[in-house]
Amino acid sequence: MTGMQVSNEKRLVLLSGRAHPELADAVAKELGIELLPITAYDFASSEIYVRFDESIRGADVFILQSHPAPINKWLMEQLIMVDAAKRASAKRITAVSPYYPYARQDKKHMGREPISARLVADLYKAAGVDRIMSVDLHAAQAQGFFDGPVDHLWAMPTLVEYVRTRIDPDEAVIVSPDAGRIKVAEQWGNRLGGVPLAFVHKTRDISRPNQATANRVVGDVRGRTAVIVDDLIDTAGTICGAVRVVLDAGAKDVIIAATHGVLSDPAVTRLGESGVREVIVTDTLPIPAEKRFPQLTVLPIAPVLANAIDAVFEDGSVTSLFDGVH
């Protein structure tokens, strides 16, 4: 007999950056493990230092980092953690980025623009990432930016199950905030038992960020509870415009359901004054006290992340977790 036979027990290690430690704690609890302790701090010059306090040699390492503002700091911290893991002889490194940084810059609208979402994928690859895990990418085709496995997780089952308890399906309508997300709205309608659809016709000035004008509703919303579904809420200008035109079209009331609560100023003020009954997001991003308002409901995304991490570690199917969502 040639060669050498050794015991080769797999080891899962979960590491967290400093952007959203509460989410990492919740994921670790779902997995029944402890977060690996790390030392991380900023130098006076704002450079970031990271060191793992225990060996990760030969481990399957998952580096969880959310990306709220300041996004560049938290992206750089995650890249530094990846580099540290690679140099510490991790067997496989997965970047778990629930809210993918620069996701909205996924194509060129005009000449001489970058495709920053592709650049982020290249940075992950150059740092040493073997696999990426993210929730509700702004555009699903961004999976192709990374030369390796990408686990595109979905918050829709989590959101749908909650919304089901808040509406009467016979008196509801699913509203896409623009024509581009009608396919997602169709999946919502099917999961809620055939709820009808509508969409808001809007125009956007591509030369100005966070600027869009909601013009009118296409579809019948009169007398119904309108559920506006989207992937994220940033300054809330677009979605509050959608709320306005839906209410003007005769909707009984409005619920917003979105995956990522970016909630940049003045989102909280706009949403609080919009007349919306409830705003539902997940905790892919931290939502501090100053961003909370009475109509806001925050659902946990940790079970989705933990199930996917466990499936990857056990070499199981991640797709099977999502019950036919594509």
Side-chain angles (χ1 to χ4, degrees):
M1 180 178 179
T2 60
M4 180 184 295
Q5 186 171 349
V6 296
S7 62
N8 192 24
E9 291 186 358
K10 294 170 66 177
R11 179 186 175 210
L12 187 159
V13 170
L14 180 62
L15 300 164
S16 172
R18 294 174 292 166
H20 194 358
E22 298 84 4
L23 177 58
D25 288 338
V27 172
K29 185 176 181 181
E30 289 282 337
L31 289 167
I33 63 174
E34 298 284 335
L35 286 169
L36 188 124
I38 70 170
T39 299
Y41 54 79
D42 298 343
F43 287 106
S45 65
S46 80
E47 287 186 7
I48 296 169
Y49 173 85
V50 171
R51 181 180 183 272
F52 308 140
D53 297 343
E54 295 177 7
S55 172
I56 58 169
R57 181 178 297 274
D60 204 342
V61 174
F62 295 82
I63 299 177
L64 172 59
Q65 178 78 301
S66 200
H67 294 93
I71 191 169
N72 297 331
K73 173 178 180 176
W74 302 129
L75 175 57
M76 192 65 197
E77 181 176 84
Q78 189 179 26
L79 293 171
I80 290 170
M81 293 175 73
V82 171
D83 186 71
K86 182 177 68 172
R87 296 177 190 281
S89 301
K91 183 178 181 180
R92 178 171 62 172
I93 301 171
T94 300
V96 184
S97 302
Y99 174 65
Y100 187 88
Y102 288 86
R104 282 174 283 179
Q105 296 188 44
D106 60 346
K107 59 182 176 291
K108 293 177 68 170
H109 296 280
M110 298 184 292
R112 301 180 298 282
E113 284 186 342
I115 302 179
S116 303
R118 168 60 195 261
L119 174 61
V120 169
D122 289 343
L123 289 169
Y124 280 138
K125 191 71 175 179
V129 169
D130 299 299
R131 187 181 196 107
I132 293 175
M133 188 177 290
S134 193
V135 182
D136 285 355
L137 291 167
H138 187 64
Q141 59 266 31
Q143 296 171 83
F145 291 163
F146 184 74
D147 185 18
V150 177
D151 299 308
H152 186 199
L153 313 183
W154 288 78
M156 186 187 295
T158 302
L159 292 165
V160 166
E161 285 309 306
Y162 178 79
V163 168
R164 194 189 307 276
T165 69
R166 308 295 291 158
I167 64 168
D168 178 352
D170 295 330
E171 297 181 2
V173 57
I174 303 298
V175 179
S176 172
D178 56 47
R181 298 192 68 79
I182 288 178
K183 184 178 179 182
V184 174
E186 286 178 345
Q187 292 172 340
W188 269 84
N190 292 338
R191 281 172 169 261
L192 288 169
V195 172
L197 307 178
F199 75 91
V200 176
H201 177 265
K202 73 177 183 182
T203 53
R204 179 180 295 278
D205 182 351
I206 61 174
S207 66
R208 300 171 64 196
N210 301 108
Q211 296 289 327
T213 301
N215 298 317
R216 61 191 175 89
V217 181
V218 180
D220 184 18
V221 299
R222 185 169 301 278
R224 293 178 174 270
T225 294
V227 182
I228 301 177
V229 296
D230 210 347
D231 62 322
L232 63 90
I233 305 172
D234 190 357
T235 60
T238 301
I239 209 154
C240 286
V243 171
R244 185 189 71 251
V245 298
V246 166
L247 289 173
D248 289 347
K252 180 173 64 174
D253 56 7
V254 179
I255 292 172
I256 297 170
T259 302
H260 309 294
V262 182
L263 302 180
S264 305
D265 283 338
V268 171
T269 301
R270 283 174 169 169
L271 290 166
E273 297 174 352
S274 67
V276 69
R277 167 154 68 101
E278 189 171 8
V279 179
I280 305 155
V281 297
T282 73
D283 60 351
T284 55
L285 292 163
I287 302 178
E290 62 270 19
K291 289 188 176 183
R292 307 253 174 173
F293 52 98
Q295 300 97 319
L296 182 68
T297 298
V298 182
L299 303 179
I301 201 67
V304 173
L305 293 172
N307 285 338
I309 288 170
D310 184 60
V312 168
F313 177 65
E314 298 288 353
D315 296 319
S317 170
V318 178
T319 304
S320 65
L321 299 174
F322 302 106
D323 189 25
V325 180
H326 301 292

